[in-house]
Amino acid sequence: MCGICACTGNLNAVKLVTEGLKILEYRGYDSAGVAYIENENLKVEKAVGEICNLEKKVENLVSFTAIGHTRWATHGGVTENNAHPHFSFSKNIAMVHNGIVENYKELKEKLEIDTWRSQTDTEVFVNLVEKENGTLLEKIISASRKVIGSFAVAILDEKGNLVLGKRESPLYVAKIKNGIMAVSDTYVLSGLTENFYTLGDNEFAEIKNDEIYFYDKNGKKIIKNSEKMQKFDKKSTIFEKTHMKSEILETKNILKTTYKNYQDGNLFSQIIFPNRPKEINLIACGTAYHSALQGAEYFKKIGIPSHAYIASEFRYGNEILNKNALYIFVSQSGETADTIACAKMLKEKKMCCLALTNTPNSYLNQICGNVLPTFAGKEIAVASTKAYSCQVFVLYLFSLYISGKFQEKEKEIENFLVKFPLVDIDKNVVDKISKFEKIFFIGRRQDYITALESSLKLKEITYINSFAIASGELKHGTLALIDEKSIVIAICTEEKTKEKLFSNLEEVKARNGSVLLVTNFETNFDNLKIPTFPPSLMPLVSIIPMQFLALHICEKLGYNPDKPKNLAKSVTVE
Ligand code: M6R
């Protein structure tokens, strides 16, 4: 959700910042902008739409200091005025901001400014900064005390002072060749530096004379240790026209890498969790919630009571906490606000928390302190594919580790990884399915979870109204919607639920609905055949054609699968 890139030094800052924003574009792609110093004046350029629109406007600019932003709209529509950076009233200060100022209305009233240039909370924040006394650093520190909410900010004034501040939203800073760069995601820094610093909550930084000085919320200087940059393995990346396609195709390799990293058991033995936990609860959002559901199935299979919760529901629920339970927070980004809020809440209550993330230095990792990494590599497409598969796989391996069956299953897993099939879906089938007005996904147990994920993928990038339902529930209401305009895509990978699911499909056909069965079993229904592996591994196999289905329909309709409308990769607001 919104990306920040700021840069200063003996370098072409505007160029570096726009290049950084292009890498951060997955975080929001409504509009973008930069603020920079030119002839001792603070200037701003903005453009609605993709970063390339901004790039055209700034390609000839040269400045030694710049701050930039790529936006996912929260407050105020997608307009140039609402795009960041935002000037203060006097235009002496410019700010880029990721996060939400929850009390912006109240602060706005107190500021008594007659004309506002935008509808954003950020413009309120930058004016609050301007009204404070002292240096730019002192101003942001005192303004932030009045702010309720989250922020990662980079602020530049007309004298070229550059300061940073952080609460909840991510912000990293590093020395690069000939200068200093601050970013929302360390991926931008890859290849530019070996070390970086993570700003903690309510920490600030001042960039002065080629040095970075860190401060706490009271303005007291603090010493921070740098962290080693993770090596992003770009070699394994498959370059297709879209990130989503490359990422689906990478699944086989990243499952192998993940297995290699977990095979010796060290990563599991490093985490702290109750010996044979009495319960394992998983908390997540969106696609990560679906992998949490699969995880809960795995833990129940080894005899541990387990439940998956939607983070935004869990937070305000009355769940009974258990000191002997393990709470796993599943998140690709490790930045999702709802998941983070739950992790903070449970950490405060001294529960045993574990982060399962794909982002090594994420905020969620910092909160939990206890981490199981997925090794999916950077996932750029908003629609999560390879990261989902990796999460499911790690949860499966973890269940084997807890039950002491890891070694026993080694051969089976190795065979699975060698043969792992990336089953694509035929063009004729895609053409046929895309003609239906209503697309339902059904399944039972683990296949129902795959149905949920398949439906989410489809609606997310094709904008087709679709939903998933446990197949036994069809006749309890949804069957009323079935007619010749409907297709029901059923997933069936388990012997024990097969016959019942087949009967459900007959019920659909009897109402003139069409059917496509994705299965490893023999059947007379129109079907897409997938190979057979041990049942617990089948969710990894059956999701692939469903991801391809969403992708192909999206392409057929002429949409960009990497940048679905209204969405962003990291959802850092609740
Ligand atoms: O980064 P996270 O895994 O915490 O993100 C959670 C969801 O926002 C995410 O999975 C979302 O549902 C995906 N865009 C779906 O493809």
Side-chain angles (χ1 to χ4, degrees):
M1 206 131 274
C2 300
I4 289 177
C5 185
C7 190
T8 184
N10 193 10
L11 35 70
N12 187 345
V14 174
K15 187 161 186 283
L16 275 170
V17 161
T18 19
E19 276 166 11
L21 292 182
K22 275 202 265 174
I23 301 173
L24 293 172
E25 203 173 13
Y26 72 90
R27 302 178 69 87
Y29 33 83
D30 293 345
S31 52
V34 286
Y36 57 98
I37 304 285
E38 192 183 56
N39 301 329
E40 296 182 12
N41 287 318
L42 180 59
K43 296 201 169 161
V44 166
E45 280 294 346
K46 304 180 188 189
V48 167
E50 299 187 2
I51 310 286
C52 54
N53 299 343
L54 174 71
E55 224 181 353
K56 283 180 210 140
K57 285 189 168 178
V58 300
E59 60 190 351
N60 297 321
L61 293 177
V62 178
S63 174
F64 298 119
T65 306
I67 59 174
H69 187 270
T70 179
R71 179 173 189 243
W72 183 86
T74 56
H75 295 67
V78 181
T79 62
E80 221 168 81
N81 280 351
N82 287 334
H84 298 218
H86 288 285
F87 269 135
S88 60
F89 187 72
S90 69
K91 293 198 172 182
N92 288 338
I93 302 177
M95 175 190 270
V96 290
H97 169 216
N98 174 21
I100 286 201
V101 178
E102 286 167 18
N103 57 336
Y104 83 104
K105 282 194 183 136
E106 189 190 312
L107 294 171
K108 198 171 184 172
E109 272 166 30
K110 286 192 191 147
L111 280 166
E112 292 176 348
I113 293 174
D114 296 333
T115 357
W116 292 91
R117 301 182 186 104
S118 78
Q119 298 153 300
T120 64
D121 52 338
T122 307
E123 195 186 355
V124 176
F125 197 173
V126 70
N127 277 295
L128 196 63
V129 171
E130 180 162 82
K131 293 262 163 151
E132 297 295 329
N133 295 319
T135 62
L136 190 60
L137 178 80
E138 286 163 347
K139 283 171 187 261
I140 172 65
I141 294 177
S142 44
S144 72
R145 287 193 198 112
K146 296 178 183 157
V147 164
I148 301 173
S150 58
F151 58 83
V153 287
I155 310 170
L156 180 63
D157 72 11
E158 90 288 2
K159 292 183 196 123
N161 294 311
L162 175 59
V163 297
L164 311 169
K166 189 247 173 202
R167 185 191 292 157
E168 288 173 19
S169 302
L171 196 57
Y172 308 90
V173 60
K175 286 190 174 180
I176 59 168
K177 193 173 169 218
N178 298 332
I180 287 162
M181 189 179 245
V183 287
S184 304
D185 184 335
T186 55
Y187 194 53
V188 182
L189 299 171
S190 161
L192 297 177
T193 183
E194 295 289 309
N195 300 293
F196 68 94
Y197 298 90
T198 304
L199 262 87
D201 278 343
N202 296 306
E203 285 183 358
F204 301 85
E206 186 177 34
I207 297 165
K208 227 179 179 177
N209 309 328
D210 303 328
E211 280 302 330
I212 314 163
Y213 300 97
F214 296 99
Y215 300 85
D216 69 10
K217 61 177 183 205
N218 300 315
K220 204 168 148 247
K221 235 182 200 164
I222 48 173
I223 306 293
K224 286 187 84 72
N225 293 326
S226 66
E227 293 162 60
K228 274 250 155 296
M229 270 298 292
Q230 190 219 6
K231 290 215 167 46
F232 290 98
D233 190 5
K234 290 194 168 139
K235 267 185 263 151
S236 64
T237 309
I238 295 166
F239 293 101
E240 286 290 335
K241 214 171 76 203
T242 60
H243 287 294
M244 185 175 173
K245 187 161 184 199
S246 315
E247 288 164 5
I248 299 172
L249 293 172
E250 278 170 37
T251 305
K252 182 172 179 144
N253 288 345
I254 53 118
L255 290 180
K256 281 185 181 169
T257 311
T258 301
Y259 185 62
K260 231 193 248 162
N261 283 306
Y262 277 101
Q263 202 171 8
D264 61 9
N266 280 345
L267 282 172
F268 290 128
S269 61
Q270 279 163 24
I271 57 170
I272 300 161
F273 65 102
N275 187 19
R276 194 82 202 161
K278 290 276 169 298
E279 260 177 49
I280 299 183
N281 296 314
L282 303 104
I283 300 165
C285 302
T287 286
Y289 166 66
H290 297 153
S291 37
L293 285 168
Q294 291 290 12
E297 292 297 303
Y298 293 139
F299 296 126
K300 283 185 273 190
K301 269 191 192 162
I302 60 161
I304 299 180
S306 185
H307 194 87
Y309 295 92
I310 296 171
S312 52
E313 290 292 301
F314 184 89
R315 184 152 184 226
Y316 300 101
N318 299 309
E319 302 310 329
I320 295 155
L321 301 181
N322 182 345
K323 282 251 181 271
N324 297 313
L326 171 63
Y327 292 87
I328 308 181
F329 299 87
V330 187
S331 172
Q332 188 285 129
S333 62
E335 279 186 38
T336 303
D338 288 310
T339 311
I340 282 177
C342 293
K344 277 188 167 171
M345 185 173 96
L346 293 199
K347 206 58 199 171
E348 270 162 28
K349 295 191 165 109
K350 308 248 177 311
M351 297 296 136
C352 181
C353 297
L354 172 68
L356 178 70
T357 69
N358 195 39
T359 310
N361 312 98
S362 73
Y363 191 34
L364 187 61
N365 293 11
Q366 291 166 35
I367 294 166
C368 294
N370 215 8
V371 180
L372 282 183
T374 46
F375 293 89
K378 189 75 189 162
E379 191 179 64
I380 305 275
V382 168
S384 184
T385 54
K386 60 174 183 172
Y388 169 76
S389 301
C390 244
Q391 288 160 352
V392 172
F393 191 46
V394 172
L395 289 167
Y396 171 63
L397 296 178
F398 190 34
S399 72
L400 294 182
Y401 176 81
I402 297 177
S403 64
K405 292 208 171 121
F406 203 104
Q407 249 111 49
E408 197 183 296
K409 296 277 179 185
E410 244 172 18
K411 285 257 136 32
E412 197 172 282
I413 297 171
E414 279 163 17
N415 176 52
F416 168 73
L417 292 173
V418 170
K419 296 191 182 145
F420 183 78
L422 287 160
V423 181
D424 203 342
I425 199 151
D426 190 79
K427 185 177 174 306
N428 296 332
V429 180
V430 173
D431 289 346
K432 183 181 157 195
I433 295 175
S434 59
K435 291 203 179 93
F436 287 95
E437 234 170 62
K438 297 174 262 184
I439 304 181
F440 301 91
F441 291 85
I442 65 167
R444 285 176 185 249
R445 304 301 318 172
Q446 64 178 30
D447 297 326
Y448 168 49
I449 302 168
T450 307
L452 285 168
E453 176 55 12
S454 309
S455 173
L456 177 65
K457 222 75 313 167
L458 185 78
K459 60 190 148 204
E460 184 176 21
I461 59 169
T462 68
Y463 319 126
I464 292 174
N465 193 348
S466 145
F467 69 89
I469 181 158
S471 61
E473 279 289 292
L474 254 186
K475 54 187 166 298
H476 296 288
T478 308
L479 205 56
L481 291 174
I482 303 293
D483 56 20
E484 62 290 343
K485 293 180 198 139
S486 334
I487 182 157
V488 174
I489 302 176
I491 296 127
C492 178
T493 64
E494 282 193 298
E495 187 66 49
K496 65 177 176 197
T497 57
K498 186 176 91 178
E499 293 310 326
K500 290 284 183 311
L501 184 114
F502 288 3
S503 312
N504 299 141
L505 290 181
E506 291 296 353
E507 290 152 14
V508 170
K509 284 180 78 176
R511 272 94 191 157
N512 299 323
S514 293
V515 159
L516 174 74
L517 180 57
V518 179
T519 187
N520 49 320
F521 299 114
E522 289 308 319
T523 170
N524 291 327
F525 291 106
D526 279 353
N527 67 85
L528 174 78
K529 196 77 195 291
I530 51 175
T532 302
F533 291 98
S536 293
L537 293 166
M538 287 308 287
L540 293 166
V541 178
S542 55
I543 190 60
I544 301 287
M546 299 294 88
Q547 293 170 344
F548 274 126
L549 175 69
L551 174 68
H552 295 325
I553 296 183
C554 168
E555 285 165 340
K556 189 177 153 59
L557 298 174
Y559 302 127
N560 178 353
D562 293 341
K563 293 177 185 168
K565 68 177 180 200
N566 305 340
L567 302 178
K569 185 74 181 158
S570 310
V571 185
T572 55
V573 291
E574 284 178 52

